[in-house]
Amino acid sequence: MGKRECLIVGVVGCGKISDIYLKNMTEKFPVLKVKSCCAVHPEHARKKAQQYKIAACTYEEMLADPQIDMVVILTPAPTHASLIRQALAAGKHVYTEKPIALTVEEAAELSALAEESGKYLCAAPDTFLGSALQTARRAVDEGEIGEITGFTVNANRCQDLMTVILPNNNLPGGGVGLNYGIYYMTALISLLGPVEEVSALVRNPKPVRINRLPGHPDFGKEYASPNESQIAASLRMGNGVIGAFFLNGESILSDLALFCLYGTKGVLRLTDANQFGGQVTLIKNTSDYFHPEEIPLDYGLPYEKDSRGVGPAEMAAAILSGRESRTDKAMAIHVLDVFCAMERSSEKGRRTVVNSTCRRPEAFREGIKLLRL
């Protein structure tokens, strides 16, 4: 029997995010073959199945299907742990949307189940595999900014609108940290390695909000919005680098980010970590210290446009070749642990050690091989 070239996949959840996943996984990644989809509302699954020429089924039928190697979970955060647990028990590999779970203890239990079953468990976000962050990774690895001495992450969002447009943001795990900041934290760890210690202030100034979306049937009405909308933190990485991490959900809707790495030879200005592409700029000293040179970086790396699904594809390639995935559960658990440590730090009013760790994922050099051009 020849070596397998793809994994058979079932998709769980047919909401808004499922379209880009299904489109990319059925069209762009030959290492994946999507067979079926399911949803809590069967009519949603039937609609997506017809659109993408796959089968609609129940989750129980998907897990009982001996052809399905791997499930991709795209459901709201509170459902992740239960769905992962069932899939691992059924002998399936699992890739889940972020976060991997709502508590570190729950995530650790899932990790142990994956290890016991010999199955891969991986998690989003996969934007760090895109062209922008891999361009930054290459610049870091090649020493373009010298020894890294610090970083800044400063990103905004409008929770007043996001919690109306996407009501799941009012569910556990839907706050500005695990729903938005998780992209930046994953990017940071992919570039610099794990976080060792945090000092943070976390708050939600408006636990009750007013629907301000014109034309919405509940316009003007109050609703509960219990999740955090602001995080201001200082981080110390495992390699000793320190930096600032600020998320502000009490701003305008457009996501405007300042994301920089500072070094002894220059500064690397990155882009929105929630996107796959975007301009990365190297700022270097010249003979005139008051006028540094700005150099747009472009190494011709793949995945510039919305490439959600590259994470499951990279995971499938890892399974087929017997190596560890770059989106492995250890990094997802560590990212979750960092945000939980921020909560503890804010509650106790002191610096807090992050108990977990993870490896810095390998650079995504072979990414082009997964893409059908």
Side-chain angles (χ1 to χ4, degrees):
M1 183 179 296
K3 183 179 179 181
R4 292 188 62 185
E5 296 183 350
C6 68
L7 292 188
I8 310 300
V9 178
V11 174
V12 187
C14 295
K16 290 183 179 180
I17 195 66
S18 67
D19 275 308
I20 189 63
Y21 270 96
L22 285 165
K23 179 177 175 59
N24 288 342
M25 291 195 298
T26 55
E27 295 180 3
K28 291 186 176 181
F29 304 112
V31 75
L32 301 173
K33 183 177 181 181
V34 181
K35 180 181 180 182
S36 60
C37 65
C38 65
V40 67
H41 300 292
E43 64 274 16
H44 294 173
R46 288 193 291 269
K47 180 180 178 181
K48 299 300 181 187
Q50 183 178 16
Q51 183 177 354
Y52 295 100
K53 297 179 174 56
I54 57 178
C57 64
T58 66
Y59 193 43
E60 291 72 22
E61 289 169 338
M62 183 180 292
L63 296 184
D65 186 344
Q67 291 188 333
I68 297 289
D69 301 300
M70 167 182 165
V71 298
V72 175
I73 297 172
L74 307 178
T75 58
T79 67
H80 291 177
S82 175
L83 293 171
I84 292 169
R85 194 176 294 112
Q86 293 176 65
L88 291 173
K92 310 299 184 186
H93 301 290
V94 182
Y95 182 95
T96 182
E97 252 298 335
K98 44 78 180 167
I100 192 170
L102 296 179
T103 68
V104 176
E105 294 75 17
E106 197 171 46
E109 175 201 347
L110 298 173
S111 177
L113 289 174
E115 294 292 333
E116 291 169 9
S117 63
K119 297 300 176 182
Y120 282 57
L121 171 57
C122 298
D126 55 2
T127 47
F128 77 96
L129 299 173
S131 64
L133 287 166
Q134 287 300 307
T135 292
R137 171 62 182 269
R138 180 166 168 178
V140 167
D141 289 351
E142 294 182 356
E144 292 286 1
I145 61 171
E147 178 186 352
I148 296 174
T149 58
F151 59 85
T152 296
V153 171
N154 193 327
N156 79 288
R157 181 163 274 199
C158 179
Q159 290 297 88
D160 276 347
L161 290 178
M162 292 299 296
T163 51
V164 173
I165 297 169
L166 299 173
N168 287 342
N169 286 6
N170 294 309
L171 299 175
V176 74
L178 291 179
N179 190 54
Y180 179 50
I182 194 168
Y183 293 100
Y184 289 91
M185 188 61 66
T186 302
L188 194 63
I189 290 168
S190 77
L191 293 167
L192 302 182
V195 180
E196 193 165 283
E197 186 179 57
V198 303
S199 179
L201 294 172
V202 180
R203 74 176 194 140
N204 177 12
K206 293 193 288 186
V208 176
R209 298 180 185 270
I210 297 174
N211 187 320
R212 301 188 186 281
L213 184 63
H216 193 279
D218 293 327
F219 179 77
K221 294 183 180 179
E222 292 186 342
Y223 64 97
S225 182
N227 295 318
E228 81 287 344
S229 63
Q230 293 181 312
I231 298 176
S234 299
L235 277 62
R236 179 166 60 84
M237 312 302 284
N239 60 7
V241 175
I242 61 173
F245 190 90
F246 179 54
L247 304 171
N248 184 13
E250 303 298 338
S251 184
I252 64 173
L253 185 60
S254 297
D255 296 344
L256 304 172
L258 172 64
F259 185 6
C260 292
L261 302 182
Y262 307 102
T264 55
K265 292 169 56 179
V267 174
L268 202 59
R269 187 168 62 213
L270 288 80
T271 185
D272 185 347
N274 190 19
Q275 305 300 321
F276 286 83
Q279 184 61 62
V280 176
T281 302
L282 174 64
I283 306 171
K284 299 188 72 171
N285 269 333
T286 63
S287 57
D288 181 352
Y289 289 106
F290 297 101
H291 297 89
E293 182 182 10
E294 295 196 8
I295 306 169
L297 297 182
D298 184 0
Y299 299 128
L301 299 178
Y303 310 121
E304 294 180 315
K305 296 181 180 179
D306 193 340
S307 298
R308 281 169 173 79
V310 68
E314 193 281 334
M315 173 185 169
I319 293 169
L320 292 170
S321 60
R323 60 168 173 81
E324 186 173 323
S325 172
R326 291 170 175 81
T327 59
D328 179 64
K329 58 187 179 298
M331 184 165 68
I333 293 171
H334 180 63
V335 170
L336 171 64
D337 197 10
V338 172
F339 283 107
C340 291
M342 289 180 181
E343 290 278 2
R344 296 196 304 274
S345 173
S346 184
E347 290 169 0
K348 296 178 180 179
R350 62 172 182 261
R351 291 186 300 175
T352 300
V353 171
V354 180
N355 296 317
S356 65
T357 189
C358 68
R359 68 179 181 87
R360 181 181 180 233
E362 296 294 325
F364 195 37
R365 295 288 185 250
E366 76 280 14
I368 193 68
K369 297 178 182 178
L370 302 179
L371 184 63
R372 179 180 289 126
L373 299 174

